[in-house]
Amino acid sequence: MKQIADFTLVGKECYGTSVLLRLRDEQPLPEIVPGQFVQVRVDDSPSTYLRRPISIHDVDVANHEISLLVQMVGEGTRHLGAANVGDQLNLVLPLGNGYTLPTKGERVLLVGGGIGIAPLYYLAKTMALKGVKPTFLLGGKKAADLVRVDAYSSIGETLITTEDGSLGEKGMVTMHSVWQQRQFDKIYVCGPKRMMMAVADIARANNVWCEVSLEHMMACGLGACLCCVEDTVEGNLCVCKEGPVFNTRRLKW
Amino acid sequence: MTIDLGRGLVLRNPVMTASGTFGYGEEYTDFVDLAQLGGIIVKGTTLNPRQGNPYPRMAETPSGMLNCVGLQNKGVPYFINTIYPRIKDFDTNVLLNLSGSTLEDYVRGAEMINTLDKIPAIELNVSCPNVKQGGMAFGVTCAGITQVVSEVRKVYHKHLMVKLSPNVTNIAEIALAAEAAGADSVSLINTLMGMAIDAERRQPKLSMVTGGLSGACVKPVALRMVWQVAKAVKIPVVGLGGISNATDAVEFMLAGASAIEIGTANFIDPAISAKVADGMRDYCERHGFQKVSELIGALEG
């Protein structure tokens, strides 16, 4: 069941233009599936009227905590990044549909670009609990764009590309040598649309199952306003309600 | 807290949710007990299905937003067969917002909706700014509104509410034309035509370049128009435009509205509609009003 709740910021870690916010609710959390997102209200920012959709980076059921990895790109997200420990943030959660989890024995690749790596962390943790060992392929323009790499490495093998070669293999995620060397049963993607389309092309060419998480501008986050649509084989669908995770078979790209 | 809008449309309180901001009600049942609302007005529906406009359909603005959704919906027959059975037993008034591109579409749609027992009213949308044939052609002239309202009136026998466009030079004249043509009430305002530009990319922010402005920023304009229309017509006026809390809602009642609709505020607080109903009740108690209807047009001075 979806709910509105005031969470308290109990931890904050800064990584350049990104910030990790650890938020605690007094009440037990609702069930949250990897790939779902929250809508955060941005208070005291006159130019920010609507909530900001942010993917769920991690969940700590025992402590009623969720973590959000936020890249500060505009006024709204900069305001969120400026929150201090002890501040309250009002969230609507959990929203949207998550990723389809793999079955034991399947070889899975989690491809993240830039801040798009955020939801893959909770996805990988959930997979690991089910006995699936994930491999990450994370890409950024430069080393500083890839945050919390150690945390990712502690869950699964972590392959990296950077466009300037400052970390891992030089180039885009689609150019990594792993594509030539190994095969996967399921590919999970989150990142810039162009990068997700390129990965989807590889998956399609190899006839591999692939899910991507779309990021569109949203107003309601509930499937009511019909603002965040993606033109799919089923017509215009709300990314917030029908997604944000889509199997690439449903998309026109 | 009861409000009687006439011809069988009785609200348990003045608060309704505006079309296009509350889906079919189902999207909000985790947050709001619909029995706490006077009514919900479901998504703008046209006789035939519409895909709506391409993405991007929304741009945030200071204290508001622009949209050019373009009446994406699955059509009246789909509504009747698939959606209506799911929502007809909601414990509130379920109104359908009906739009069209031709007179025939409006009339045919209204005829079909007239057969639905649990839909006590149509909100006739003659004011969608986002599609070339969105009905705004009917809504911006007295001749147009007279034509569409009188033709729909012939086939629709329940409460007929007409939603007015603010994109006109004299909204009171349009309201009077709707009243004379047989409207049971008018609701206003629909969104204000606006535009947003991304200066860095030198491109419009919306796929259709222009869109409808809504949210807190439009409230003063809406309030003024409600006040003007309420003075001009005898039928009830339903006020909307930027209402974000109970105080805003009371202001619209004082300006002459008999009921109000909550729109864009539903996006920021999905539970706001019920909170506004509670807050209006508190206001009445605090100020010694026995009935909420005593607030209608009670502006002093």
Side-chain angles (χ1 to χ4, degrees):
Chain A
M1 188 166 162
K2 301 182 195 84
Q3 54 182 247
I4 314 175
D6 284 323
F7 281 65
T8 306
L9 184 64
V10 293
K12 181 178 172 183
E13 293 168 32
C14 297
Y15 303 95
T17 58
S18 299
V19 59
L20 178 75
L21 303 175
R22 203 152 51 79
L23 298 155
R24 185 179 296 157
D25 192 4
E26 297 284 308
Q27 308 299 318
L29 298 171
E31 191 188 344
I32 296 171
V33 179
Q36 288 186 304
F37 66 99
V38 302
Q39 281 262 62
V40 189
R41 198 180 67 207
V42 183
D43 295 327
D44 307 317
S45 171
S47 64
T48 311
Y49 187 59
L50 300 166
R51 288 175 182 262
R52 289 295 181 266
I54 308 280
S55 66
I56 295 169
H57 176 64
D58 197 10
V59 176
D60 177 348
V61 174
N63 290 311
H64 310 173
E65 286 178 12
I66 66 163
S67 294
L68 307 177
L69 190 55
V70 182
Q71 187 172 34
M72 295 176 276
V73 288
E75 193 61 32
T77 46
R78 264 197 296 276
H79 220 81
L80 291 177
N84 297 310
V85 170
D87 287 354
Q88 302 260 300
L89 288 178
N90 185 270
L91 308 188
V92 179
L93 81 167
L95 299 173
N97 300 305
Y99 289 102
T100 309
L101 291 175
T103 48
K104 201 169 177 178
E106 284 186 307
R107 299 160 298 173
V108 302
L109 182 67
L110 280 57
V111 186
I115 199 64
I117 69 172
L120 303 182
Y121 185 75
Y122 180 47
L123 173 63
K125 260 179 70 170
T126 308
M127 286 180 182
L129 284 174
K130 290 188 63 173
V132 175
K133 204 155 174 52
T135 299
F136 290 108
L137 173 56
L138 309 179
K141 283 198 170 63
K142 54 189 189 302
D145 293 344
L146 294 168
V147 300
R148 306 201 77 219
V149 171
D150 290 350
Y152 286 79
S153 305
S154 70
I155 305 174
E157 178 191 9
T158 303
L159 310 170
I160 286 176
T161 62
T162 49
E163 288 175 35
D164 67 356
S166 54
L167 192 67
E169 292 186 19
K170 184 172 179 176
M172 313 276 202
V173 286
T174 46
M175 295 153 69
H176 196 279
S177 56
V178 71
W179 297 106
Q180 310 302 325
Q181 295 159 359
R182 290 166 41 189
Q183 296 198 320
F184 297 95
D185 301 305
K186 283 194 161 79
I187 298 174
Y188 301 85
V189 197
C190 186
K193 192 162 188 174
R194 203 173 295 171
M195 169 231 147
M196 291 198 291
M197 292 172 99
V199 175
D201 282 345
I202 296 178
R204 193 172 289 120
N206 294 290
N207 203 23
V208 178
W209 182 102
C210 181
E211 279 184 349
V212 298
S213 179
L214 302 187
E215 182 186 47
H216 282 198
M217 281 182 294
M218 292 177 186
C220 72
L222 302 169
C225 69
L226 312 186
C227 287
C228 65
V229 291
E230 171 72 14
D231 182 18
T232 73
V233 295
E234 300 153 53
N236 281 325
L237 296 181
C238 285
V239 168
C240 68
K241 189 180 177 187
E242 308 291 336
V245 175
F246 290 91
N247 191 293
T248 48
R249 282 189 316 246
R250 298 176 74 189
L251 302 175
K252 287 186 173 172
W253 41 274
Chain B
M1 291 290 280
T2 305
I3 294 288
D4 187 346
L5 291 177
R7 207 185 290 260
L9 182 58
V10 179
L11 313 180
R12 66 164 62 86
N13 65 52
V15 179
M16 295 187 282
T17 54
S19 175
T21 67
F22 210 68
Y24 293 99
E26 299 166 308
E27 292 83 351
Y28 284 82
T29 49
D30 283 351
F31 309 106
V32 180
D33 174 6
L34 300 180
Q36 292 178 272
L37 303 179
I40 63 171
I41 305 180
V42 302
K43 173 70 191 158
T45 304
T46 50
L47 182 62
N48 298 310
R50 290 184 52 93
Q51 269 294 305
N53 293 322
Y55 180 86
R57 295 173 165 186
M58 188 274 287
E60 190 177 36
T61 61
S63 297
M65 61 177 273
L66 289 158
N67 88 82
C68 62
V69 170
L71 290 172
Q72 179 181 329
N73 79 96
K74 293 186 172 173
V76 172
Y78 181 90
F79 173 81
I80 292 173
N81 295 324
T82 307
I83 300 169
Y84 176 69
R86 298 201 307 254
I87 66 173
K88 68 184 175 64
D89 294 321
F90 281 158
D91 186 11
T92 192
N93 288 297
V94 179
L95 286 71
L96 183 93
N97 180 286
L98 179 68
S99 196
S101 46
T102 66
L103 191 58
E104 293 70 34
D105 283 1
Y106 276 107
V107 172
R108 184 80 194 104
E111 269 178 334
M112 293 167 80
I113 301 303
N114 193 57
T115 64
L116 304 178
D117 293 342
K118 301 285 182 69
I119 304 283
I122 281 178
E123 182 180 53
L124 200 66
N125 183 356
V126 291
S127 44
C128 178
N130 291 325
V131 291
K132 286 200 180 84
Q133 303 280 315
M136 197 159 99
F138 291 104
V140 294
T141 65
C142 291
I145 206 142
T146 300
Q147 189 184 30
V148 69
V149 174
S150 55
E151 290 301 314
V152 168
R153 180 76 283 173
K154 286 177 193 164
V155 300
Y156 190 70
H157 309 301
K158 291 181 244 179
H159 187 101
L160 181 60
M161 183 183 294
V162 179
K163 187 169 186 176
L164 304 180
S165 170
N167 305 304
V168 294
T169 47
N170 186 340
I171 197 165
E173 277 181 6
I174 305 280
L176 282 166
E179 179 179 41
D184 295 305
S185 64
V186 287
S187 56
L188 64 144
I189 58 173
N190 204 322
T191 55
L192 286 148
M193 278 271 269
M195 180 169 167
I197 292 176
D198 180 337
E200 291 300 316
R201 294 165 58 234
R202 290 179 290 283
Q203 286 178 353
K205 288 189 178 177
L206 297 172
S207 66
M208 303 303 284
V209 184
T210 61
L213 182 67
S214 65
C217 60
V218 309
K219 196 192 88 175
V221 177
L223 199 57
R224 181 266 295 179
M225 288 188 164
V226 164
W227 177 70
Q228 285 179 320
V229 168
K231 284 195 300 181
V233 299
K234 294 186 184 67
I235 53 176
V237 174
V238 177
L240 72 150
I243 298 176
S244 308
N245 53 52
T247 309
D248 291 344
V250 167
E251 290 172 21
F252 275 79
M253 300 285 285
L254 296 174
S258 296
I260 60 100
E261 298 177 20
I262 311 266
T264 306
N266 289 308
F267 303 157
I268 295 129
D269 180 357
I272 191 67
S273 50
K275 289 180 193 168
V276 169
D278 285 345
M280 292 179 83
R281 191 174 296 110
D282 290 346
Y283 178 92
C284 289
E285 280 173 18
R286 213 151 37 82
H287 290 269
F289 291 102
Q290 302 297 309
K291 298 179 191 166
V292 73
S293 56
E294 292 169 30
L295 295 178
I296 302 167
L299 184 65
E300 294 174 11

